[in-house]
Amino acid sequence: MSKIKIGVIGAGSISEAHLNAYANNDKVELYAICDLNEERAKAKAEKYGASKTYVDYHDLMNDQDIDAVSICTWNNTHADIAIAALNSGKNVLVEKPMTTSMEKAYEMEETVKKTGKKLQVGFVRRYASNTQVLKKFIEEDDLGEIYYAKATCIRRLGNPGGWFSDIERSGGGPLIDIGVHVIDVLWYLMGCPKVKSISGNTYNKLGNRKNIKNLSFYQAADYDPDKNTVEDMANAMIRFENGASLLVDVSFTLHAKQDEISVKLYGTKGGAEVEPSLAIVTEKYDTILNLAPQVDSTTFDFGQAFQAEIDHFVDVCLGEKETLSPVADGVEMTKILSGIYESAEKGKEIYFD
Ligand SMILES: NC(=O)c1ccc[n+]([C@@H]2O[C@H](COP(=O)([O-])OP(=O)(O)OC[C@H]3O[C@@H](n4cnc5c(N)ncnc54)[C@H](O)[C@@H]3O)[C@@H](O)[C@H]2O)c1
């Protein structure tokens, strides 16, 4: 069987996770790397043995040898690159957030339909083993009807700077960058109910706190603290048509005592925690039980999740599996994120039909 040829577009921080996972998959030939920064593309190509490098993604699209691409660029470029790839007959794995506007999200969905090519959205937490273990319990109805979900993803100091903080390129701050992961994994585990209304708030109170010394944090490949046009904190209440609700709060910076991640769901027969550690709560013979699954990792395992996501995408390209994170879910998640920003801007709850 011939290997599928992969091109990776965007050779910054997260491309390393894609490249590493492709390199571990023996159905794949890592073939091309593209980045606006030629040196960066060449360095990754050398490290991973890719034979071609590109600076302009349009040139990569003309390379008929490439079967599929990973898109690891700034958020505002995802849609145009994905659409060009689909139109040139390539399957696409696009990093989260899928895009930054509803208009682009619908265009991506249309292009998937028109071309018949595959698109997987990089909702990597769906592929994490702790999520998949819990999914099985939910599918077997161990939680009953899930009516409430709650996510917190707080960085007390963690504005990555560079393009992440430039609203033109990122589309937003912590909500679109890290909030998307925790909202999506809960929404996925809830069975992707249709959103009915959203009430959101965003705050630009603390800036990026570049003044802080003696505490390090994650920074973008091209770190620049001088531009910051994104929110530093967001929260929201999302109501779904089935009556369930989801409460979320996220920050790049907040006067919190420590960083915090918490992802929890509650149903009529039981509850569950995905983060900080997988746990299932239930009741039997009039006694409450806290169940502790005995699994390799009870928390998000970055390496395992990326490997599972990439392996799954490769099998989707080979026609062996359906993606767990299709374009339609990317459209719905764009609707939720855009809805939170819209509600915050208008200062009132917004409704969808
Ligand atoms: N799934 C996850 O857990 C996760 C984690 C981090 C980042 N991401 C996502 O991955 C994407 C990239 O983030 P990052 O942290 O790697 O950023 P980064 O700044 O480290 O790297 C982005 C790279 O894309 C390149 N680039 C931008 N526009 C381009 C274009 N039109 N053509 C070619 N190259 C282009 C830049 O030159 C840069 O090298 C973002 O969408 C981000 O949201 C996902």
Side-chain angles (χ1 to χ4, degrees):
M1 193 186 69
S2 68
K3 296 189 175 200
I4 65 164
K5 288 195 169 73
I6 297 283
V8 173
I9 307 171
S13 313
I14 207 61
S15 71
E16 194 66 19
H18 288 239
L19 289 161
N20 196 36
Y22 283 126
N24 290 334
N25 187 313
D26 58 14
K27 300 171 195 168
V28 161
E29 177 183 342
L30 256 177
Y31 182 73
I33 315 271
C34 169
D35 200 292
L36 292 173
N37 180 324
E38 191 172 10
E39 244 172 70
R40 207 170 278 161
K42 288 208 158 127
K44 295 275 187 204
E46 193 169 323
K47 179 170 175 191
Y48 286 96
S51 45
K52 297 221 171 150
T53 55
Y54 295 96
V55 172
D56 184 337
Y57 75 82
H58 296 97
D59 295 334
L60 179 147
M61 299 308 162
N62 293 330
D63 190 332
Q64 294 307 317
D65 286 337
I66 299 175
D67 300 300
V69 295
S70 263
I71 302 174
C72 304
T73 54
W74 308 324
N75 302 343
N76 68 324
T77 65
H78 289 180
D80 289 347
I81 300 177
I83 290 164
L86 294 163
N87 280 331
S88 54
K90 303 179 196 331
N91 296 312
V92 169
L93 170 57
V94 57
E95 262 302 345
K96 48 49 65 174
M98 187 176 87
T99 182
T100 52
S101 76
M102 284 314 294
E103 199 189 345
K104 290 284 182 190
Y106 288 132
E107 211 180 319
M108 290 168 89
E109 192 174 38
E110 277 307 304
T111 313
V112 170
K113 278 191 197 137
K114 186 187 82 185
T115 59
K117 302 309 292 182
K118 314 283 185 197
L119 185 145
Q120 176 165 310
V121 187
F123 293 139
V124 67
R125 282 179 181 263
R126 294 189 181 200
Y127 298 84
S129 59
N130 59 343
T131 305
Q132 285 306 320
V133 168
L134 178 58
K135 181 87 173 147
K136 181 78 182 150
F137 282 78
I138 292 173
E139 280 168 359
E140 296 296 334
D141 203 34
D142 282 31
L143 266 53
E145 177 199 341
I146 298 169
Y147 56 91
Y148 180 44
K150 194 165 121 173
T152 290
C153 191
I154 297 295
R155 285 186 191 161
R156 59 180 174 160
L157 181 74
N159 181 325
W163 70 267
F164 284 96
S165 316
D166 171 8
I167 200 160
E168 298 300 323
R169 289 182 286 169
S170 62
L175 177 65
I176 204 165
D177 182 35
I178 50 181
V180 59
H181 280 302
V182 290
I183 298 172
D184 177 71
V185 77
L186 282 175
W187 182 65
Y188 169 69
L189 288 168
M190 292 167 93
C192 302
K194 247 182 123 32
V195 58
K196 181 177 153 194
S197 70
I198 292 178
S199 186
N201 299 284
T202 56
Y203 296 95
N204 300 51
K205 297 285 188 191
L206 305 183
N208 60 12
R209 295 171 84 200
K210 64 180 177 186
N211 58 304
I212 295 293
K213 297 189 173 72
N214 309 315
L215 191 60
S216 49
F217 57 93
Y218 172 80
Q219 299 178 343
D222 302 293
Y223 181 69
D224 171 10
D226 289 335
K227 185 163 188 186
N228 183 46
T229 48
V230 298
E231 83 277 4
D232 43 57
M233 198 269 165
N235 62 43
M237 164 65 87
I238 305 160
R239 288 172 205 266
F240 298 98
E241 281 184 359
N242 65 1
S245 55
L246 192 162
L247 192 61
V248 61
D249 60 0
V250 295
S251 70
F252 269 170
T253 185
L254 189 71
H255 285 300
K257 192 176 160 210
Q258 58 196 26
D259 289 354
E260 186 182 352
I261 181 155
S262 141
V263 177
K264 302 176 180 175
L265 324 102
Y266 305 95
T268 50
K269 292 199 209 164
E273 302 193 356
V274 188
E275 299 291 342
S277 182
L278 184 63
I280 296 167
V281 179
T282 189
E283 156 184 335
K284 216 163 185 184
Y285 315 124
D286 305 324
T287 298
I288 289 175
L289 299 176
N290 286 358
L291 306 176
Q294 301 301 295
V295 293
D296 284 340
S297 178
T298 56
T299 187
F300 178 67
D301 177 335
F302 186 88
Q304 175 277 325
F306 268 95
Q307 192 66 55
E309 177 188 43
I310 297 284
D311 288 349
H312 199 102
F313 176 61
V314 170
D315 290 345
V316 167
C317 292
L318 292 168
E320 293 169 3
K321 280 185 184 163
E322 291 296 318
T323 180
L324 301 183
S325 45
V327 67
D329 290 2
V331 172
E332 203 64 12
M333 198 45 53
T334 309
K335 190 163 141 189
I336 290 175
L337 298 171
S338 310
I340 295 172
Y341 284 126
E342 186 186 333
S343 165
E345 198 184 327
K346 291 185 171 157
K348 61 179 189 186
E349 186 163 11
I350 58 156
Y351 293 82
F352 300 91
D353 7 86

